[in-house]
């Protein structure tokens, strides 16, 4: 009880001080609020309900001290500071706290949300901190600071006297009964509904309900503890509509956009929830950041409860989520459930789905708020008046037209406060000619989402807009806002007029909070240029040289240049005649197109002719396959080398408690810091096909468990794979039958999915084996062996893979294939098989009966003991493949099959579904294949190496990619290495190339000498040029370079967020809390 007494003493002491000295002293009071003590007995909702009898106490509680800033100083922050942020057990061990720049951003964001508190005013903006500066934690801090607050109620738009007059006339009218029952319809699930309906049904012959508010109070008082609060909100909404119907004279209010907005939003259910909308690839990132850095039980319904605080779409309540994140397809909860959460996180794919549902419902004339009479439900996202909407990677709102699916739906959502999060609010190459034009258009679209009072909505509606209806009125309003922006900002700025720049700077200073990396002092990333050489066969070079010298092209030259090695294009004997015919036609068409191209190049001279022929070969599948192999081999060797060096430094330490918390730590020193982070490498490419080809090489050289994939696909797969890479663990069950691993990714495991193969040996024994027991397939050269069983496997069946890769080449399997397997039991790598006695208890007798009935062609068999005869060599046993299928199908449970009209299945032993619990298994995942389209916004601060499969010349894109790992939270520097590809000709072809002055393969053009500016990420040919540029780089804090005034980057550079307010400062930090 000492903690609660401390809290009581705090309030009493302040009140006493206020009462005794209010007339003699106006000195400010500094309050240090110990949230760990206060929130042990009070939730934030309770804390906001505390009433202070002293105005001085209330004024003092507007700000409290924040004592955990990373710079060691104390700052005044809005009450009640940032409870729950960076307070988890792991954060406390590391002494985590907000950084100075984050407190500065929060001060600016708090001011932006409280400059005006009237309904419809601009309350929000753009959080434009540079990539990697912790925008997610900053936004979470803002959210928890206002936990429990609700939106400002829209003003009443009806005349009270008119309402009272109509109520007196209608309360004695029996016809009025329908309207009353319609208003209490949301409460009908209550057991007290019938009694309530009888009591409130008119006519009223006594003095019951003299006014409409008395009727509303009676219903709320009697149903408060009998129905959820959300249903009472629906009742309140119905009463509002009822009042609007009683006063039909106030029509002018509905004519302008703001009036229509008030009417619309008064019909919604207000809540204290923040809706966070994120790209699909970032859903796991947000869930992980909240789980790691927000103490959920601070915000529960009672102390110690962490349920009902955060809802993750496709996952459910975060308190019960499993990591790696298990995402699955599921419907959104009703608004009655969502209104009780502090945060709701949904991906863009959900928004797109809701857009199309809304589009379909509008065709069916279903109202967004109330739904349809036929039971059609409206989207719960549209039925709520959110406290705040946050759009991560919100530059996508600016990149797309307002009619885009996602943008259109987001712009309809109702919220008091709106924020865009983006490290690059305007996208594109800053050096391009049209950057300013495109960027200004993007900014206006963001202002449209923010509902900026001048350039996001219309100040004055025309008569045409008033009479055109709400939908067309909104469209005209958007057009008018855009026209206003063009007139006042865009056109003057592009014409280099001071008025345009001044207005743009004013608007951005009003809505944008921005820090740049040069303001923070992060340690520099390490850029490297790697190189791999791919040799062009001498035969190809000879064909090119002969063609250039003689001017004649032969058929085999076309084949060589277009297709690659001729032997790789032999027709597949296993394909059908029609498929072979199509292949021949495609091949002929490609040769015809190449003839036309080469004929044109031949007319342009020997140099162009040579380059064209060489480029055609470089573009072949054969050459690109060599490129993928060389790049994969280079990265493989680099990763193995780094892991070996790590072992030499003492091995990896996953939890670096003794190391720096973040790469921005003032104590970080590359000279003293011994890097013992686990090697985590990201392989990045803008080409999905190239990335997949390199992945094939990795799967051949590493275990599957070492690799995670972030490719375009389902959100559940992306979230799970990123979680595997981040956490180094997976979840699933071991099959009690075959001991195979079944991965759990959120979908219910219905049975073991591991493939078992049914084989037979020379003695006629039929048994099941795992695919891992296959040593090799038997080729034609081994078919004459005496103990060979089955049909030999053709060499080209597996493509370019050798026959010992048969076990992992499932697509190439055929019934009757001759195989060599390891049939030892016990085996050092496999669990010992169950005995025949044990299998008899599980129903193997019935299994044998079913096999006999089906003649061995059915689905039944059992994973019994392997054959054992002393004269047989079981580590090299020859077998023939009979069939293959999942383990669960071989071991089916007894059941009645309605289609076959008979009893099927036989297995009665333990199963994966019922008898096994989900396990968490550690795995060494050190490679992540990352598709470029999914890289924005990811937090990969734990990554040590980033390999680029192709050079990135766009400085803005290179900064975005680098910032995935070069960011706050990193415990060491990140190495970014570009794996450049270089082709090498044979000496005779190279000599001929020099004779004709072709520079296509010139050694001077190698990229290994390329250097990158550490401030703006531009590339230069050598280190000297890069250093010269850095001295005058406009993003270098020590540079005296002048940026053109009429370039967007110069306006961004001039923006400076206010510093955090130090203790004792005279700044006024506004508060959302209202004095009772």
């Amino acid at each position: 009880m000492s903690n609660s007494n401390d809290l009581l003493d705090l309030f009493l002491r302040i009140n006493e001080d206020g009462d005794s000295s209010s007339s003699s002293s106006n000195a400010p009071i500094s309050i240090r609020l110990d949230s760990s003590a206060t929130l042990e007995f009070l939730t934030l909702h309770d804390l906001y309900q505390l009433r202070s009898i002293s105005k001085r106490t209330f004024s003092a509680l507007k700000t409290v001290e924040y004592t955990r800033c990373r710079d060691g100083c104390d700052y005044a922050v809005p009450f009640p500071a940032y409870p729950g942020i960076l307070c988890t057990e792991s954060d406390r061990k590391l002494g985590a706290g907000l950084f100075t720049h984050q407190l500065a951003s929060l001060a600016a964001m708090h001011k932006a949300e409280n400059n005006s508190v009237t309904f419809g005013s601009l309350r929000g903006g753009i959080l434009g901190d540079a990539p990697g500066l912790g925008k997610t934690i900053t936004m979470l801090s803002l959210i928890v600071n206002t936990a429990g607050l609700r939106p400002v109620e829209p003003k009443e738009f009806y005349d009270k006297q008119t309402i009272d007059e109509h109520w007196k006339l209608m309360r004695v009218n029996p016809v009025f009964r329908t309207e009353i029952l319609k208003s209490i319809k949301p409460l009908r699930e209550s057991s007290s509904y019938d009694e309530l309906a009888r009591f409130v049904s008119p006519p009223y012959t006594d003095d019951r309900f003299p006014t409409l508010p008395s009727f509303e109070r009676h219903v709320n008082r009697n149903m408060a503890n009998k129905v959820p609060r959300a249903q009472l909100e629906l009742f309140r909404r119905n009463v509002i509509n009822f009042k609007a119907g009683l006063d039909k004279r106030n029509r002018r209010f509905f004519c302008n956009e703001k009036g229509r907005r008030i009417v619309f939003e008064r019909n919604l259910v207000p809540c204290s929830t923040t809706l966070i909308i994120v790209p699909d690839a970032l859903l796991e990132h947000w869930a992980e950041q909240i789980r790691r850095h927000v103490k959920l039980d601070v915000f529960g319904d009672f102390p110690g409860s962490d349920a009902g605080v955060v809802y993750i779409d496709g996952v459910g309540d975060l308190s019960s989520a499993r990591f790696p994140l298990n995402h699955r397809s599921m419907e959104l909860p009703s608004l009655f459930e969502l209104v009780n959460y502090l945060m709701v996180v949904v991906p863009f794919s959900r928004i797109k789905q809701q857009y199309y549902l809304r589009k379909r419902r509008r065709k069916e004339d279903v109202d967004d708020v109330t739904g349809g009479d036929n039971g059609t439900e409206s989207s719960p996202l549209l039925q709520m008046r959110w406290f705040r909407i946050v759009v991560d990677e919100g530059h996508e709102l600016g990149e797309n037209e307002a009619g885009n699916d996602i943008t259109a739906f987001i712009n309809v959502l109702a919220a008091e406060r709106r924020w865009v999060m983006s490290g690059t609010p305007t996208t594109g190459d800053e050096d391009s000619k049209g950057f300013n034009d495109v960027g200004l258009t993007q900014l206006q679209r963001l202002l449209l989402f923010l509902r900026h009072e001048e350039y996001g909505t219309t100040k004055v509606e025309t008569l045409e807009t008033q009479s055109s209806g709400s939908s067309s009125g909104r469209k005209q309003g958007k057009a008018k806002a855009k026209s206003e922006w063009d007139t006042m900002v865009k056109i003057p700025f592009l014409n280099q007029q001071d008025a345009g720049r001044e207005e743009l700077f004013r608007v951005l200073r009003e809505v944008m909070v921005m820090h740049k990396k040069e303001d923070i002092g992060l340690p520099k990333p390490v850029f490297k240029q790697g190189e791999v050489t791919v040799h062009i066969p001498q035969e190809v070079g000879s064909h090119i040289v002969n063609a250039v010298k003689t001017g004649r092209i032969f058929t085999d030259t076309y084949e060589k240049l277009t297709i690659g090695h001729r032997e790789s294009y032999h027709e597949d004997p296993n394909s059908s005649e029609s498929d072979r015919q199509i292949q021949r036609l495609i091949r002929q068409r490609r040769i015809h197109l190449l003839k036309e191209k080469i004929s044109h190049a031949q007319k342009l001279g020997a140099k162009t002719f040579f380059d064209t022929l060489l480029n055609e070969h470089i573009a072949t599948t054969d050459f690109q396959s060599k490129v993928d192999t060389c790049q994969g081999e280079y990265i493989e060797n680099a990763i193995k080398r780094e892991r070996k060096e790590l072992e030499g430094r003492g091995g990896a330490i996953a939890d670096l408690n003794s190391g720096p918390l973040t790469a921005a730590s003032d104590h970080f020193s590359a000279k003293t810091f011994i890097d013992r982070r686990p090697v985590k490498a990201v392989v990045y490419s803008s080409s999905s096909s190239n990335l997949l080809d390199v992945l094939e090489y990795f799967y051949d050289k590493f275990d599957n468990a070492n690799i995670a994939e972030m490719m375009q696909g389902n959100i559940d797969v992306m979230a799970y794979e990123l979680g595997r890479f981040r956490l180094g663990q997976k979840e699933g069950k071991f099959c009690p039958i075959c001991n195979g691993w079944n991965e759990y990714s959120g979908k219910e495991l219905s049975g073991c999915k591991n493939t078992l193969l049914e084989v037979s040996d020379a003695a006629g024994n039929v048994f099941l084996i795992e695919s891992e027991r296959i040593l090799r397939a038997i080729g034609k050269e081994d078919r004459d062996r005496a103990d060979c069983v089955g049909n030999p496997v053709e060499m080209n069946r597996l493509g370019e893979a050798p026959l010992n890769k048969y076990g992992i080449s499932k697509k190439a399997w055929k019934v009757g294939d001759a195989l060599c397997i390891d049939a030892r039991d016990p085996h050092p790598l496999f669990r010992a098989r169950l005995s025949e006695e044990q299998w008899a208890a599980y129903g193997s007798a019935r299994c044998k009966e079913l096999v006999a009935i089906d003649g061995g062609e059915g689905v039944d068999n059992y994973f019994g003991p392997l054959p054992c005869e002393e004269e047989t060599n079981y580590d090299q046993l020859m077998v023939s493949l009979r069939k293959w299928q999942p383990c669960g199908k071989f071991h089916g449970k007894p059941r009645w099959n309605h289609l076959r009209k008979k009893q099927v299945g036989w297995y009665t032993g333990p199963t994966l579904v019922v008898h096994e619990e989900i396990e968490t298994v550690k795995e060494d995942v050190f490679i992540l294949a990352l598709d470029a389209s999914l890289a924005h916004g990811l937090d990969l601060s734990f990554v040590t190496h980033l390999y680029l499969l192709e050079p990135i010349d766009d400085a803005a894109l290179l900064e975005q990619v680098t910032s995935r790992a070069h960011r706050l939270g990193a415990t060491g520097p990140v190495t970014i290495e570009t794996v450049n590809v270089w082709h090498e000709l044979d000496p005779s072809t190279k000599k001929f190339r020099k004779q004709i002055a072709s520079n296509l393969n010139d050694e001077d053009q190698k990229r290994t000498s390329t250097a990158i500016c550490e401030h703006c990420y531009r590339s230069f040919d050598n280190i000297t040029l890069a250093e010269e540029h850095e001295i005058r780089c406009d993003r270098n804090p020590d540079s005296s370079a002048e940026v053109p005034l009429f370039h967007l980057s110069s306006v961004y550079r001039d923006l400076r967020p206010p510093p955090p307010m130090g203790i004792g400062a005279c700044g006024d930090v506004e508060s959302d809390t209202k004095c009772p």
Side-chain angles (χ1 to χ4, degrees), residues 556-612:
D556 61 344
T557 304
Y558 284 119
E559 292 179 353
K560 175 71 70 175
L561 297 176
T562 309
I563 301 167
H565 291 301
R566 285 179 301 233
E567 53 268 28
S568 66
Y569 267 76
H570 285 159
E571 293 175 352
D572 185 0
N574 297 314
S575 61
S576 64
E577 178 59 32
S578 61
D579 289 342
R580 291 198 294 271
Q581 181 66 23
I582 292 174
Q583 292 173 9
R584 286 193 290 269
L585 290 174
I586 293 175
R587 185 173 168 216
Q588 291 171 7
R589 176 62 179 166
R590 291 178 65 185
I591 291 177
H592 175 72
L593 293 175
L594 180 60
K595 282 183 179 179
E596 293 181 351
K597 186 176 182 179
I598 289 178
S599 297
H600 177 72
Q602 193 172 7
K603 299 174 183 177
L604 300 178
K607 174 182 176 297
T608 304
F609 191 24
F610 180 92
D611 292 348
T612 301

Side-chain angles (χ1 to χ4, degrees), residues 698-738:
F698 289 154
Y699 280 122
D700 188 48
K701 300 298 180 180
F702 298 106
D703 291 337
N704 290 2
N706 300 142
I707 304 169
E709 299 181 28
M710 273 284 286
M711 313 289 286
Q712 281 287 7
N714 295 331
I715 187 172
D716 53 345
V717 177
M718 292 190 292
Y720 187 76
E721 287 292 291
L722 183 58
R724 282 184 58 236
F725 181 62
R726 185 194 308 278
L727 303 174
Q729 64 186 37
K730 59 182 179 180
E731 288 190 320
K733 298 180 180 182
F734 287 102
C735 175
I737 301 172
C738 68

